[in-house]
Amino acid sequence: MINILDKTFVPLISREDIENRITTLANEITNDYQGRCPIFVVVLNGAFLFASELVKRIPLTCEISFIRLSSYAKTESTGEVREIIGMDNNIEGRDVIIIEDIVDTGLTMSQLLSQLNGLAPASVAIATLLHKPEALQTSIDLKYIGFNIGNKFVVGYGLDYDGIGRNLDSLYVLA
């Protein structure tokens, strides 16, 4: 168990399991995009650890860009997505792979997909470390999923509770 601020969390997914799954996802992406130069769009802040571990295992020529979106307050999704830092890369005719830490309601991803598709990419795929199928409020096509988890609040491996816990090397769930 670990305590973060006023909450207690218990282990959910170990560092070893995360690393093994990331290697599998990297191999799938490498095979799918062989001979192409995808642009990875990393959703900050939560996806930074996942993105770092994922892209360093992908031996393709690629670009990496960052966008920052937010829809959480404390442990709940607000349902409102606000763009904080936008992407300035030209993605017209490019293969885009969004790297996200977690897809739960799908509202954040739906808005991001809408914005990116308006820029005329050749393709857009989503790679997410975590997916909460029970929490989905809109249909999202997730091509690369690390782990499906229950509809519980998680921290670690880039995910935080009120800014704390991103640096944990494993994933923990609210007790």
Short mmCIF file of all heavy atoms in Angstrom, two decimals, residues 41-45 65-69 83-87 112 115-116:
data_model
loop_
_atom_site.label_atom_id
_atom_site.label_comp_id
_atom_site.label_asym_id
_atom_site.label_seq_id
_atom_site.Cartn_x
_atom_site.Cartn_y
_atom_site.Cartn_z
N VAL A 41 2.13 11.53 -31.40
CA VAL A 41 1.60 12.68 -30.69
C VAL A 41 1.35 12.23 -29.25
O VAL A 41 0.45 11.43 -28.98
CB VAL A 41 0.29 13.20 -31.34
CG1 VAL A 41 -0.30 14.33 -30.50
CG2 VAL A 41 0.56 13.66 -32.76
N VAL A 42 2.17 12.71 -28.35
CA VAL A 42 2.14 12.30 -26.95
C VAL A 42 1.25 13.26 -26.17
O VAL A 42 1.45 14.48 -26.21
CB VAL A 42 3.55 12.29 -26.35
CG1 VAL A 42 3.52 11.83 -24.89
CG2 VAL A 42 4.49 11.42 -27.19
N VAL A 43 0.26 12.70 -25.46
CA VAL A 43 -0.64 13.51 -24.65
C VAL A 43 -0.03 13.68 -23.27
O VAL A 43 0.13 12.72 -22.52
CB VAL A 43 -2.04 12.86 -24.57
CG1 VAL A 43 -2.98 13.73 -23.73
CG2 VAL A 43 -2.63 12.64 -25.97
N LEU A 44 0.32 14.93 -22.97
CA LEU A 44 0.91 15.25 -21.67
C LEU A 44 -0.17 15.57 -20.66
O LEU A 44 -1.27 15.93 -21.04
CB LEU A 44 1.83 16.46 -21.82
CG LEU A 44 3.04 16.27 -22.72
CD1 LEU A 44 3.78 17.60 -22.89
CD2 LEU A 44 3.98 15.21 -22.17
N ASN A 45 0.08 15.44 -19.39
CA ASN A 45 1.33 15.07 -18.79
C ASN A 45 1.44 13.55 -18.61
O ASN A 45 2.54 13.00 -18.57
CB ASN A 45 1.47 15.69 -17.40
CG ASN A 45 1.73 17.17 -17.44
OD1 ASN A 45 2.17 17.73 -18.43
ND2 ASN A 45 1.46 17.83 -16.34
N SER A 65 5.81 14.59 -31.22
CA SER A 65 5.26 15.89 -30.88
C SER A 65 4.44 15.74 -29.60
O SER A 65 4.10 14.61 -29.21
CB SER A 65 4.38 16.40 -32.02
OG SER A 65 3.95 17.71 -31.76
N PHE A 66 4.12 16.84 -28.98
CA PHE A 66 3.41 16.81 -27.70
C PHE A 66 2.20 17.72 -27.73
O PHE A 66 2.23 18.79 -28.33
CB PHE A 66 4.36 17.24 -26.57
CG PHE A 66 5.56 16.35 -26.46
CD1 PHE A 66 6.71 16.65 -27.17
CD2 PHE A 66 5.54 15.21 -25.69
CE1 PHE A 66 7.83 15.83 -27.09
CE2 PHE A 66 6.65 14.38 -25.60
CZ PHE A 66 7.79 14.69 -26.31
N ILE A 67 1.16 17.26 -27.05
CA ILE A 67 -0.04 18.08 -26.87
C ILE A 67 -0.49 17.86 -25.43
O ILE A 67 -0.29 16.78 -24.87
CB ILE A 67 -1.15 17.73 -27.88
CG1 ILE A 67 -2.25 18.78 -27.84
CG2 ILE A 67 -1.66 16.33 -27.70
CD1 ILE A 67 -3.17 18.74 -29.05
N ARG A 68 -1.04 18.89 -24.85
CA ARG A 68 -1.49 18.77 -23.46
C ARG A 68 -2.97 19.08 -23.39
O ARG A 68 -3.40 20.17 -23.74
CB ARG A 68 -0.70 19.72 -22.57
CG ARG A 68 -0.97 19.52 -21.11
CD ARG A 68 0.03 20.28 -20.30
NE ARG A 68 -0.31 20.16 -18.90
CZ ARG A 68 0.25 20.86 -17.94
NH1 ARG A 68 1.19 21.72 -18.24
NH2 ARG A 68 -0.13 20.69 -16.71
N LEU A 69 -3.72 18.08 -22.94
CA LEU A 69 -5.16 18.22 -22.75
C LEU A 69 -5.48 17.85 -21.32
O LEU A 69 -4.78 17.06 -20.71
CB LEU A 69 -5.93 17.27 -23.69
CG LEU A 69 -5.63 17.39 -25.17
CD1 LEU A 69 -6.29 16.25 -25.92
CD2 LEU A 69 -6.13 18.72 -25.70
N GLU A 83 -7.77 22.43 -24.13
CA GLU A 83 -6.43 22.32 -24.69
C GLU A 83 -5.54 23.34 -23.99
O GLU A 83 -5.90 24.50 -23.87
CB GLU A 83 -6.44 22.58 -26.20
CG GLU A 83 -5.08 22.41 -26.82
CD GLU A 83 -5.11 22.53 -28.32
OE1 GLU A 83 -6.18 22.43 -28.93
OE2 GLU A 83 -4.03 22.74 -28.88
N ILE A 84 -4.39 22.88 -23.54
CA ILE A 84 -3.47 23.77 -22.84
C ILE A 84 -2.28 24.11 -23.73
O ILE A 84 -1.93 25.25 -23.90
CB ILE A 84 -3.00 23.12 -21.51
CG1 ILE A 84 -4.22 22.85 -20.63
CG2 ILE A 84 -2.00 24.02 -20.81
CD1 ILE A 84 -3.94 21.98 -19.45
N ILE A 85 -1.66 23.09 -24.32
CA ILE A 85 -0.55 23.29 -25.23
C ILE A 85 -0.90 22.58 -26.53
O ILE A 85 -1.16 21.37 -26.52
CB ILE A 85 0.76 22.71 -24.68
CG1 ILE A 85 1.14 23.36 -23.35
CG2 ILE A 85 1.90 22.89 -25.69
CD1 ILE A 85 2.29 22.68 -22.65
N GLY A 86 -0.92 23.29 -27.63
CA GLY A 86 -1.29 22.69 -28.90
C GLY A 86 -0.09 22.18 -29.67
O GLY A 86 1.06 22.52 -29.40
N MET A 87 -0.36 21.34 -30.64
CA MET A 87 0.67 20.78 -31.50
C MET A 87 0.84 21.70 -32.71
O MET A 87 -0.15 22.14 -33.29
CB MET A 87 0.25 19.39 -31.95
CG MET A 87 1.29 18.67 -32.75
SD MET A 87 0.68 17.10 -33.32
CE MET A 87 -0.50 17.64 -34.53
N LEU A 112 -9.62 15.16 -29.23
CA LEU A 112 -8.32 15.18 -29.87
C LEU A 112 -8.40 14.59 -31.28
O LEU A 112 -7.84 15.14 -32.23
CB LEU A 112 -7.30 14.42 -29.03
CG LEU A 112 -5.88 14.33 -29.60
CD1 LEU A 112 -5.31 15.70 -29.92
CD2 LEU A 112 -4.98 13.57 -28.65
N GLN A 115 -9.87 17.12 -33.64
CA GLN A 115 -8.90 18.16 -33.98
C GLN A 115 -7.87 17.65 -34.98
O GLN A 115 -7.56 18.31 -35.97
CB GLN A 115 -8.19 18.67 -32.72
CG GLN A 115 -9.08 19.47 -31.80
CD GLN A 115 -8.36 19.85 -30.51
OE1 GLN A 115 -7.16 19.68 -30.37
NE2 GLN A 115 -9.11 20.37 -29.56
N LEU A 116 -7.33 16.46 -34.74
CA LEU A 116 -6.30 15.92 -35.62
C LEU A 116 -6.86 15.56 -36.99
O LEU A 116 -6.21 15.82 -38.01
CB LEU A 116 -5.63 14.70 -34.98
CG LEU A 116 -4.78 14.99 -33.74
CD1 LEU A 116 -4.20 13.70 -33.19
CD2 LEU A 116 -3.69 16.00 -34.02
#
